[in-house]
Every structure is written in structure tokens, then in C-alpha cells.
Amino acid sequence: DAGVIQSPRHEVTEMGQEVTLRCKPISGHNSLFWYRQTMMRGLELLIYFNNNVPIDDSGMPEDRFSAKMPNASFSTLKIQPSEPRDSAVYFCASTYLGGGLGEQFFGPGTRLTVL
Amino acid sequence: AQSVTQPDIHITVSEGASLELRCNYSYGATPYLFWYVQSPGQGLQLLLKYFSGDTLVQGIKGFEAEFKRSQSSFNLRKPSVHWSDAAEYFCAVGLNNAGNMLTFGGGTRLMVKP
């Protein structure tokens, strides 16, 4: 398996622009997570989905952030409009929600820079 | 709510020396416990996990961790550190009734001196 795939790997944009981050989870996994990592705040869970349904979005910073999972093999995290404080590395992770708590597999991340 | 504390933000050890990274959690029952490693510019990779049973768990790359319920700890150890172990290490706790959600500690950055 190719693992969790994220695109783009790097994104540089200007303040006010819309940014869309993409994630393809591991085939067969039914839980997907979006995290943000910064020096100041560490690794934060933004939102997670089970079976394509958003379960907990309490970590989403504000209404400028939105996430979707239209099917089991694709998810997006959108920031509109973007701000310099959104600069961070965004990780997507997936796992199989079955009889117990499974390992989360992380993608390589998208490094976002908002100028 | 559960929480995870990694008291050491940075640790420097000499190559070949032993290593122990501390992790304390706060939760009312036995959680699921994980250690992840993040190399520069990379995503997180699972080193080991504890769900139940033997409290000493073995992981990849020669790492092990011991769950101590009385101390609410899950410290990571390695008997002899290699230069390639330089990375950031994250402890995480999960709840089976929380849909696989994990809470991560702040991380410990390990530097290895030659």
C-alpha cells in the first residue's frame, strides 16, 4: 500500500487566498483525521471522520476552516480566506475503526505558508 | 478529559548511551498508549503501542516502553542510542469509546551527540 497520500506537499499562498489540502487515506481504513502542527501549539487535532461522517470538529479554529469527506478515499481541508497565522504543517492520518483502538497512519504532511 | 504530559522538551544524549523519554497521562481508566517518532520533514511513525497485557512492550528500532499504572506513566526506553534516532518523539493516549481519537503530548526533541 502507498500509505496516506497528501497533496500538495508544500503550498505558499498570499493572505486572503483560498487553500485546499487533499488527503487520500489507506484503502480499507474508515477513520480519517486532520491535524495541524506548529512550534507554538504542537500537534492539534482539527477534525475527524468515521465512515465519511464528521464526528468531532471542535478543534477547527474558526469558520474559515472546513473539511469534507465525500467518499472513503478522499478528504479535503479548506481554508478560506487564509491568514498568516494559518501557516503550519497539516497532517492527515487514517485508521480502521473496528473492535479496538488501532494505530493511526500519518501522511507526510502539507507545509502551508501564508504570506 | 484525558491529557498527556511529556516533561522534557529537549534531551541530548551521546551516541551509545541509554535513553529514557518520559510520558505521563491523566485518565480515569486504562487508556490505549502510543509512542510515535517524527523525523525532520516527515510524518509520524508508530514506534509501539500498549492496549493490555504485558506492561513492557517492544517496538521497532530497538525501542521499548513500560506501562506503570501506579505512576500513570508510559516511558520510552532504548539501551543504546544511534545517531539516526535523533528526531521528535510523541506520546499519545486514546480512548476506545472516542472513535480512535488520540491526544498527543507536546513532544520531546532528541539530539544525539557523536
Side-chain angles (χ1 to χ4, degrees):
Chain A
D1 199 314
V4 176
I5 298 173
Q6 292 186 246
S7 64
R9 292 293 309 275
H10 302 272
E11 176 80 36
V12 180
T13 191
E14 293 187 346
M15 182 174 62
Q17 297 298 306
E18 177 180 297
V19 174
T20 299
L21 311 182
R22 297 172 176 79
C23 176
K24 176 178 169 57
I26 291 174
S27 177
H29 284 184
N30 56 4
S31 285
L32 183 140
F33 305 78
W34 282 101
Y35 292 90
R36 179 173 67 176
Q37 185 178 41
T38 61
M39 290 292 293
M40 292 298 295
R41 302 174 69 89
L43 195 62
E44 304 173 276
L45 176 66
L46 299 177
I47 185 172
Y48 78 95
F49 298 82
N50 284 345
N51 297 311
N52 312 337
V53 176
I55 302 300
D56 187 339
D57 65 354
S58 59
M60 297 286 261
E62 44 196 279
D63 291 345
R64 297 185 297 107
F65 285 69
S66 62
K68 294 182 179 179
M69 192 163 186
N71 57 62
S73 59
F74 183 66
S75 177
T76 59
L77 178 67
K78 184 178 294 186
I79 309 173
Q80 167 63 20
S82 59
E83 297 182 3
R85 59 193 169 120
D86 302 330
S87 297
V89 181
Y90 291 81
F91 288 103
C92 175
S94 71
T95 189
Y96 176 71
L97 178 60
L101 193 65
E103 168 191 355
Q104 290 187 17
F105 292 81
F106 281 75
T110 295
R111 181 173 295 276
L112 173 65
T113 302
V114 183
L115 303 175
Chain B
Q2 71 275 17
S3 65
V4 181
T5 302
Q6 293 180 245
D8 305 305
I9 297 175
H10 294 100
I11 282 185
T12 300
V13 300
S14 298
E15 190 168 17
S18 63
L19 171 71
E20 182 169 28
L21 302 183
R22 296 184 290 166
C23 173
N24 294 96
Y25 66 91
S26 173
Y27 179 57
T30 300
Y32 293 75
L33 296 159
F34 304 80
W35 274 101
Y36 283 84
V37 60
Q38 184 181 28
S39 298
Q42 303 296 315
L44 278 69
Q45 179 186 19
L46 183 72
L47 284 176
L48 47 80
K49 59 189 177 186
Y50 172 78
F51 289 173
S52 64
D54 192 345
T55 56
L56 184 63
V57 293
Q58 302 297 321
I60 62 171
K61 305 184 181 186
F63 285 92
E64 65 178 27
E66 186 172 12
F67 169 60
K68 292 186 177 180
R69 184 191 306 273
S70 61
Q71 299 177 17
S72 297
S73 69
F74 189 57
N75 294 349
L76 182 71
R77 300 194 295 248
K78 186 169 184 178
S80 178
V81 170
H82 188 262
W83 64 266
S84 61
D85 293 325
E88 188 150 21
Y89 292 80
F90 293 92
C91 182
V93 60
L95 305 176
N96 190 36
N97 63 352
N100 281 343
M101 195 171 73
L102 295 181
T103 299
F104 284 85
T108 297
R109 184 168 297 278
L110 173 66
M111 290 172 280
V112 180
K113 293 189 299 185

